[in-house]
Amino acid sequence: MVRRFYGLPSLTALATFEASARHGNFTLAAAELNVTTGAVSRQIKSIEQELGVALFLRTGKGVMLTAPAEDLYRALATGFARASEVVNSIKQGNSARNVTIACSDVFGTMWLIPRMPDFWRRFTDISVDHLIGDNFKTFRPSQLELRIRYGSGKWIDETAEFLFDDCLYPVCSPGFAEKHAGASAADLADLPLLNVEWVEPGWTGWEEVLARGGVPYHAASGRRFGKFSVALQAAMADQGLVVGWHRLVGPLVEKGDLVRFTDLVVPDPGAYYLTWNSTRALPAAALSLRDWIRMLAEEERRTPMPLARPIP
C-alpha cells in the first residue's frame, strides 16, 4: 500500500473539518458540503482518531475548537484560500482587472455605494464586485480581496487599517420629534425604542448607548429589527427612535428625513477598519481600490463630529 505523500488525513476529512471549524456548527457544515450531519461527525471522529487529540468541544450552541484544532484550522483556511485564489485566477485569466470588497448592508448602502461613482470615473478599467451582508462568516476569504469592518480592529489573519471613528445619538422622524417635544435624554427609556438585533456581535444597541450616556435603562418593549436600514425606515415612518451612527445617518439628518432627538451624544465604542488577508499579497486592482478608500477615509476624519455630551 502506497503511503500518502504528505502524511495528511484524507482531503475529504480535512475539508469537512475546515467547514465545521469555520461555521462552528456541524449542521451548517453538512449543509454546505451537501452531506448528512452524521457524515460530518464520522469524518471529524476519523481525524481525531488519526491525530490522537480532540478537535472540538461540544457546546449548547454548536462546537468550539480546541487549541490544537485552532492551529490546524488556520493552516487549512490559508491553504484552501490560496488554492481557491489560484483556481479563480486561472478561470479569469491574468488580465482580469477585478476586485471584490465586502461590507455590511448599512455601510454599503449609506456610505460606500453613494461614493462609488468617483471611483468609476478614476478607474474605468477596474470592475468592483460588492459582497453585502451582516454575517462575515458567510464570506469565504477566497471570494474577496478587501473588507470594511466595524469593531475593535483585531481579527485573525487579517491586516486591519483604521479608517475612522464615529459617535452615536438618537434619531427619529420630524413628526415623532414634534409629538414628543420637550422630552430630554432622561426620558429616552420611556419612549418607543427601535432595537436592531440578530446582527454581528459588536453591534451597539440602546442598552449600551443609554448606559454610556448615564441614562437609566429598563427592558424596552419597542420593536426589533434584523437590519439597521429597516429600523431607519421605521424611524422615518414615525414609529420610534433608533440609535444613529453619525457617519451613516448624517446625510439623512442634513436632508431633514431624520432629526436628532435630545442632545445626547456618546462616543462609538467601535470604529471602521479596512482589512485584507495578511497571508497573501493584494493584486493591483485591489491596491487601487484600497488607496481610494484611504483617501475617502482621510476626508471623513477631517469632517467634524458632534461633541459627545453624555448626561451627568
Side-chain angles (χ1 to χ4, degrees):
M1 181 177 178
V2 180
R3 292 183 58 190
R4 286 171 293 202
F5 183 78
Y6 292 103
L8 295 173
S10 74
L11 287 178
T12 299
L14 291 175
T16 302
F17 165 76
E18 190 277 336
S20 301
R22 176 161 33 85
H23 287 291
N25 187 289
F26 287 174
T27 301
L28 293 178
E32 177 184 321
L33 300 171
N34 196 28
V35 298
T36 65
T37 305
V40 169
S41 297
R42 287 190 293 273
Q43 291 288 351
I44 298 301
K45 185 177 180 180
S46 72
I47 298 182
E48 291 179 328
Q49 289 177 339
E50 183 169 344
L51 299 181
V53 297
L55 297 176
F56 291 97
L57 299 175
R58 277 65 174 176
T59 69
K61 295 183 179 180
V63 292
M64 293 178 56
L65 292 174
T66 62
E70 290 277 4
D71 295 335
L72 179 59
Y73 172 64
R74 281 194 291 268
L76 287 175
T78 300
F80 287 164
R82 178 56 183 157
S84 178
E85 181 183 358
V86 172
V87 169
N88 289 334
S89 177
I90 293 173
K91 288 180 178 178
Q92 296 174 1
N94 293 329
S95 62
R97 292 279 286 166
N98 180 274
V99 57
T100 301
I101 184 169
C103 65
S104 67
D105 174 69
V106 63
F107 192 91
T109 301
M110 303 185 71
W111 195 90
L112 182 60
I113 299 302
R115 291 167 169 79
M116 285 303 298
D118 178 71
F119 183 83
W120 306 133
R121 288 190 293 268
R122 294 170 183 263
F123 303 95
T124 57
D125 61 328
I126 296 179
S127 175
V128 179
D129 295 331
H130 297 270
L131 286 181
I132 306 296
D134 293 321
N135 184 357
F136 277 89
K137 289 185 177 180
T138 63
F139 298 150
R140 296 179 183 176
S142 60
Q143 287 181 300
L144 51 91
E145 286 75 41
L146 298 170
R147 297 183 184 186
I148 296 178
R149 304 188 69 167
Y150 169 83
S152 65
K154 297 179 180 179
W155 295 283
I156 295 175
D157 291 336
E158 287 189 66
T159 298
E161 185 174 290
F162 174 78
L163 293 178
F164 43 79
D165 55 8
D166 210 342
C167 65
L168 310 168
Y169 47 71
V171 292
C172 61
S173 68
F176 184 94
E178 182 178 356
K179 180 180 178 181
H180 297 278
S184 68
D187 301 316
L188 287 170
D190 297 316
L191 295 173
L193 302 180
L194 306 178
N195 301 282
V196 180
E197 301 183 7
W198 310 298
V199 291
E200 58 188 36
W203 190 268
T204 306
W206 274 113
E207 183 174 5
E208 183 171 356
V209 169
L210 295 182
R212 287 175 174 271
V215 178
Y217 175 84
H218 52 77
S221 59
R223 298 177 178 87
R224 299 188 297 168
F225 301 88
K227 284 185 176 290
F228 181 58
S229 55
V230 179
L232 282 179
Q233 292 295 322
M236 287 188 281
D238 302 333
Q239 295 181 32
L241 293 154
V242 70
V243 175
W245 273 253
H246 174 71
R247 304 287 191 189
L248 305 181
V249 305
L252 295 175
V253 173
E254 290 181 7
K255 290 170 55 180
D257 294 334
L258 291 169
V259 297
R260 289 179 54 190
F261 190 81
T262 76
D263 62 353
L264 178 66
V265 182
V266 299
D268 189 347
Y272 300 97
Y273 293 85
L274 180 64
T275 77
W276 56 91
N277 192 308
S278 57
T279 64
R280 67 177 191 265
L282 289 174
L287 292 174
S288 296
L289 180 59
R290 184 189 67 179
D291 291 344
W292 177 78
I293 292 174
R294 284 173 169 171
M295 178 189 69
L296 294 184
E298 184 177 355
E299 295 175 357
E300 188 74 60
R301 291 194 298 270
R302 290 199 298 263
T303 304
M305 291 193 300
L307 295 177
R309 290 182 290 176
I311 303 302

